Amino acid sequence: LQPYRLINNKGIWYLAAVHDGKLKTFSVGKIRSVQLRPDTFTRDPAIESSVQTEEGIWHSPQPQKVILLIAPKVADYFKRRQLIPHQKILAESTDGALTVETTVGHQNQILPIVRYWIPCVRIVSPVAWNDELINQLADYLTCIETPEPRPIQPRST
């Protein structure tokens, strides 16, 4: 690995490092074997910049632009502060709805936020991400419609 930065995200530490030519993040708590080597590497300025400017743990060489539609009743929250990474308000309609743009490295940066704000936030683009969200919600509804599994009994020692 070529380590670049330690990142604390929601109380969990991650190591941003290049592995096999790709920038990745590794949960420090899951690292089990560390072998120190005496050799060094030359830091890539582009990777250094990406690691310093990215909000969160998701890094991608091809960030995805996402367009969201924010309902008027929650628009003030999005105008008051940045609720999504790299949030940029593109437009506000006469009824108070917002069109918001973001650029993220992975859909897991945006889907949990949209789920939190359902039904007031909708993914306009990319359509495939909206479809993925709908599939996840359908899976959830199917899961809760089936009989509830029995709780797991603790093992006795």
Side-chain angles (χ1 to χ4, degrees), residues 126-147:
V127 173
W129 287 20
N130 190 61
D131 293 345
E132 174 64 21
L133 177 64
I134 291 168
N135 289 336
Q136 289 175 3
L137 294 172
D139 288 347
Y140 172 73
L141 291 173
T142 300
C143 180
I144 64 170
E145 290 172 354
T146 59

Side-chain angles (χ1 to χ4, degrees), residues 13-78:
W13 285 98
Y14 296 88
L15 173 66
V18 173
H19 178 251
D20 291 336
K22 292 182 180 179
L23 179 60
K24 301 177 182 178
T25 51
F26 301 88
S27 173
V28 172
K30 292 185 177 185
I31 295 174
R32 297 288 175 239
S33 177
V34 176
Q35 298 173 352
L36 298 177
R37 295 175 27 177
D39 52 323
T40 62
F41 68 97
T42 303
R43 295 172 81 84
D44 181 329
I47 291 173
E48 186 76 44
S49 175
S50 173
V51 167
Q52 295 300 328
T53 58
E54 182 56 50
E55 298 175 23
I57 61 168
W58 303 99
H59 301 279
S60 172
Q62 299 171 332
Q64 177 69 52
K65 186 181 291 188
V66 180
I67 306 294
L68 303 172
L69 185 60
I70 313 298
K73 69 181 184 180
V74 299
D76 282 342
Y77 294 104
F78 286 81

Side-chain angles (χ1 to χ4, degrees), residues 51-127:
V51 167
Q52 295 300 328
T53 58
E54 182 56 50
E55 298 175 23
I57 61 168
W58 303 99
H59 301 279
S60 172
Q62 299 171 332
Q64 177 69 52
K65 186 181 291 188
V66 180
I67 306 294
L68 303 172
L69 185 60
I70 313 298
K73 69 181 184 180
V74 299
D76 282 342
Y77 294 104
F78 286 81
K79 291 192 304 190
R80 192 176 323 158
R81 68 183 180 98
Q82 186 171 317
L83 294 176
I84 56 175
H86 308 290
Q87 175 178 313
K88 180 180 174 186
I89 297 173
L90 298 179
E92 183 171 358
S93 65
T94 55
D95 69 351
L98 301 176
T99 302
V100 174
E101 175 186 270
T102 183
T103 303
V104 295
H106 193 275
Q107 68 181 5
N108 284 349
Q109 280 180 278
I110 201 72
L111 291 183
I113 297 167
V114 174
R115 280 193 297 268
Y116 177 84
W117 288 98
I118 286 174
C120 299
V121 174
R122 188 169 52 94
I123 300 171
V124 175
S125 169
V127 173

